[in-house]
Structure formats: structure tokens, C-alpha cells
Amino acid sequence: MTNQTGSTARQPLLDGMRGIAAFCVMLGHVRFNTGYFQPLEFSYLFVDYFFLLSGFVLTLGVEHKIGSRRAAWGFIKARAVRFWPMVVAGALIGALVYGMKTDWSAISVLLFLLVTNAFMIPAPVHGRSLFELNVPQWSLMYELLANVAHALVLRHLSEAALLRTAIVLGGLLAFWITVYGTNDLGAMTSNVPAGLTRVGFAYVLGIWMARRRLRVGEPTRSFVPWWVALLLPVALIMLIPGFADRALAEMIFAIAVIPLTFALLINEKAPAALAPVLSWMGALSFPLYAIHQPILSFATIQFDGIWTATFAISASVALAQVLAITIEARRKKPLAADKAPAPARNANA
């Protein structure tokens, strides 16, 4: 869900996909609270797209620079530092909403939640959200855990071992989806193992796809127009409500459709003239994802109907833009791992 800066060239379409995915997740949450945007009922599946994209981008841009345990811990630290401002922003807004809902009578509980949310410490209460003040924060924690596994373990695996791991995790994810009847997994304390499987499958597959790209090189032909590759996941996710067996449809989307559409996307190039717009979408995606839910919760207290949706969307985009601008300089600084000497490699991240 975060953008990776480094020495490698960027693929603007990946930035555009980040933005589209973040907008869709936000609109899906608006739908849940207001009833609008019904076709995006299953937009939470774009979280799997974020995990896949993260594994792919970090492998191309950074993995080869983590040549020692010291560099690995430097990478992990840099990732945590990059996550933290957005996590704190979401927790602070969530704390404000929590205080309003409780008339500030449970101040001790609020302070406890604020501290734990700000430092990514999940709640230990069974059957509750891992992060009460900002529920989507669960995926940020899981992605950070995936980054830790990447730096310490996954970077050592061969391409074949990564593919085998992804296949096993994909089978296990299919099992969890069957058990729970959905792939909306990971946010609750009751389905943490399923959530770890969810991020593990997508992230490991992203690493494998990046390794394969490094081995075979840049694509030499186009299969679909770039705009089709960019919008196809949105069109396909809107078809899921029409399936009688929605759990099976979610399973197919998470395990097959997302990887296939991503493979199409990384094979295409957008017109150079659109690069600034796509870059803006990518810059906006992380803060938008990180803060939209507590803003939506605030909107549901203050407004009704269409005004709830209007305020939530406009305020989320506006604040995300402010946060994107204020953290832009930090994002342009190289990760600690980038300082480690490494052999030159060609990659697009």
C-alpha cells in the first residue's frame, strides 16, 4: 500500500493501480455505511492486490540491495518509519471519533486504544477488530510483517521455492475462504491465521513474479491496451455480486483473477503524458487508504444519506492530498537498504 522509492525506474501504471485500488476500497466502505456504490460491494478484495503489488515492487527495487543482516534490519526499520506517520494520523482521527461516540466518558480506554493503534499493537480481545480506532490498519500491520519475512527469509528462497510456497498458501487460502465463506479476512482477532495466509499468498506471489521479470527481462509485446489492463480488475470485481456462490467467486478473484490481471498490467506502458496523473494517484493511495475509515465514521455521526458519502469522500481525498504533500520529501529519501553496495540490475519498480 505504500510507494517504494529507489534507484530503479517506476511503472506509472502501478501508481495508477494503487490509486484506483485505494479509491475502490474507500467507496466500498462508503457503500457499507450509506448504501451507495453497490457495485463495489467486494472492493475489499483490492487489499490482496496491494499485497501482491508490494511484494513485486519491493523485490524489483530493493531486495537485491539487502545483502547482509544489518541491511535487512535497516530495510525493516525504514519500512516501519514510512508506515508510522499514516498510522498515527489514522489513529488520531479514530480517537476523535471514538471520543465523540462515547461522550469522552471512557478516556482511559481511549488513551489505551490510541497508544496501541499508534504503535501497531493489535487488540487482544477475541472477536473484535485488531485496531478499533481504524479498522483498515490491520492490513498495514500485515504488510509490515510480510516486509520482515521478506528481508529475513523470503529473499533467500529460489524462484522455484517461492512458487511452491505461493501454491501451498493459495491452497490454504482457498480452504479459509471455504471455512469463512468470504475472503474478507484478517481484520478480526478471530481470523488472524486466515489473514496471514491471505497476505502471504499475494505477497510471495508478487516476489515470484518480480524474480521472473528479472530473469526473462522486459516484455516485448502488448496483449491489451494499457487502459484495459488498468480498469479490468475493477470491471471484474463488479461482477462478483451476480454469482450465486459468492465465496467461490471471491476465491477465484483472489487466487486467479488478481494475479492474471496484474500480469497484464505489468506488461503494458501508459502514455508518457499521463505519467503525472498516474504518479499523483499513486502518491494519494497510501494516505487515502490509511485515513478514510475514521473520516467516514465521523461523517456517519454528523450527516445522513448522500451528505455522509459526499463529506467522507471529499474530506478523505483532501486530507490524503495534504498528507501526500507533507511526506513527499521523506518518500524521496532512499531506504537504509539502498545504501548497501549491490550489483547493478535492471528493474522497473
Side-chain angles (χ1 to χ4, degrees):
M1 276 149 287
T2 53
N3 290 334
Q4 179 60 43
T5 56
S7 60
T8 56
R10 300 181 63 88
Q11 286 189 8
L13 282 179
L14 296 187
D15 283 332
M17 193 64 240
R18 284 188 184 95
I20 289 174
F23 270 96
C24 286
V25 171
M26 176 183 66
L27 295 179
H29 289 150
V30 172
R31 182 211 66 84
F32 182 80
N33 285 269
T34 67
Y36 297 104
F37 307 106
Q38 282 295 335
L40 292 173
E41 177 181 357
F42 293 89
S43 62
Y44 53 79
L45 293 172
F46 276 112
V47 174
D48 301 71
Y49 210 109
F50 281 129
F51 293 144
L52 175 65
L53 195 152
S54 181
F56 181 84
V57 169
L58 290 173
T59 300
L60 291 183
V62 179
E63 184 185 70
H64 64 285
K65 300 174 183 176
I66 308 175
S68 66
R69 181 169 292 273
R70 180 179 179 182
W73 283 110
F75 164 74
I76 294 169
K77 178 182 177 182
R79 293 297 289 171
V81 169
R82 187 159 293 173
F83 274 77
W84 196 63
M86 295 301 101
V87 169
V88 171
L92 288 172
I93 302 171
L96 173 64
V97 175
Y98 187 93
M100 294 172 62
K101 287 182 175 180
T102 60
D103 292 326
W104 305 98
S105 59
I107 191 66
S108 59
V109 175
L110 173 57
L111 291 175
F112 172 78
L113 291 174
L114 179 58
V115 172
T116 54
N117 277 240
F119 288 94
M120 282 199 190
I121 303 172
V125 182
H126 182 73
R128 299 290 295 274
S129 299
L130 291 174
F131 299 100
E132 291 284 336
L133 300 184
N134 187 12
V135 176
Q137 188 179 317
W138 72 269
S139 60
L140 304 183
M141 181 192 73
Y142 280 51
E143 183 175 339
L144 187 59
L145 291 175
N147 295 156
V148 173
H150 191 169
L152 300 182
V153 179
L154 297 175
R155 68 185 177 92
H156 297 293
L157 299 184
S158 67
E159 187 177 324
L162 287 167
L163 181 59
R164 289 194 295 268
T165 302
I167 291 172
V168 170
L169 290 172
L172 186 56
L173 179 60
F175 166 77
W176 286 124
I177 294 174
T178 301
V179 169
Y180 287 98
T182 180
N183 191 40
D184 189 9
L185 303 168
M188 310 297 289
T189 55
S190 56
N191 56 37
V192 168
L196 290 172
T197 304
R198 183 182 180 187
V199 62
F201 165 70
Y203 192 93
V204 171
L205 189 60
I207 298 176
W208 176 79
M209 294 177 76
R211 294 274 190 87
R212 187 175 185 279
R213 165 60 66 87
L214 291 169
R215 177 170 56 84
V216 303
E218 292 291 325
T220 58
R221 56 173 295 190
S222 173
F223 292 96
V224 297
W226 66 269
W227 58 270
V228 172
L230 191 63
L231 298 178
L232 187 60
V234 181
L236 293 177
I237 208 170
M238 292 170 66
L239 297 177
I240 294 179
F243 283 78
D245 190 339
R246 294 189 176 188
L248 178 60
E250 288 189 57
M251 185 188 304
I252 294 172
F253 192 90
I255 296 176
V257 172
I258 289 177
L260 289 174
T261 55
F262 186 76
L264 285 177
L265 186 70
I266 61 177
N267 198 57
E268 307 302 329
K269 295 186 183 300
L274 289 179
V277 175
L278 296 173
S279 178
W280 171 78
M281 293 171 65
L284 197 70
S285 62
F286 182 30
L288 183 65
Y289 182 88
I291 54 90
H292 77 271
Q293 183 60 55
I295 291 178
L296 176 58
S297 297
F298 174 82
T300 59
I301 297 174
Q302 301 295 322
F303 307 100
D304 293 314
I306 188 63
W307 293 110
T308 300
T310 301
F311 178 87
I313 294 170
S314 58
S316 295
V317 172
L319 181 57
Q321 178 64 44
V322 171
L323 292 172
I325 293 173
T326 56
I327 66 174
E328 187 65 25
R330 175 186 293 248
R331 284 171 45 193
K332 289 182 178 178
K333 293 179 180 179
L335 291 173
D338 292 349
K339 301 176 182 178
R345 298 173 72 172
N346 294 322
N348 270 326

